[in-house]
Amino acid sequence: MNVSLALVEDGKQIWQKLEVPEGCTIKQVIAMSGILEQMPQIDLEEREVGIHGRLAELTDTLKDGDRIEIYRPITADPATVPRRSIPTPQS
């Protein structure tokens, strides 16, 4: 089956298409991709993963066409970051 792996790391967008056996888990596909060898700073125990924008577990089984996403850690607390005001058009 065909799946893809997407992440943004160090300002680089990475998108890999992979052909994997049926019944693979997210963790297995990430290991097969070789991304952890290329980017040893990625610790799957500390990162969240998802499928098509929805949080998932490393043990979740994939379907054909799924897109695995490895998310970056949140670096700012949204509750403490001031909102940007959007200027209103003047009439």
Side-chain angles (χ1 to χ4, degrees):
M1 72 180 170
N2 293 300
V3 298
S4 58
L5 173 67
L7 72 138
V8 175
E9 191 70 26
D10 298 329
K12 291 175 29 180
Q13 292 183 18
I14 297 168
W15 179 285
Q16 290 183 355
K17 291 186 178 186
L18 303 154
E19 190 170 327
V20 299
E22 298 263 341
C24 279
T25 65
I26 292 175
K27 188 173 185 173
Q28 289 171 326
V29 172
I30 291 171
M32 285 183 229
S33 75
I35 199 73
L36 299 178
E37 288 79 25
Q38 295 172 29
M39 301 188 155
Q41 72 273 22
I42 296 174
D43 181 357
L44 290 180
E45 298 300 319
E46 295 180 6
R47 300 279 184 111
E48 290 187 322
V49 295
I51 300 173
H52 295 292
R54 305 194 104 188
L55 285 178
E57 299 294 326
L58 290 171
T59 56
D60 288 353
T61 304
L62 297 165
K63 299 183 303 248
D64 188 48
D66 278 348
R67 180 185 67 231
I68 301 166
E69 299 157 347
I70 301 174
Y71 301 121
R72 293 178 287 182
I74 295 176
T75 56
D77 180 359
T80 63
V81 176
R83 287 185 172 249
R84 295 182 190 143
S85 61
I86 300 172
T88 56
Q90 305 233 344
S91 321

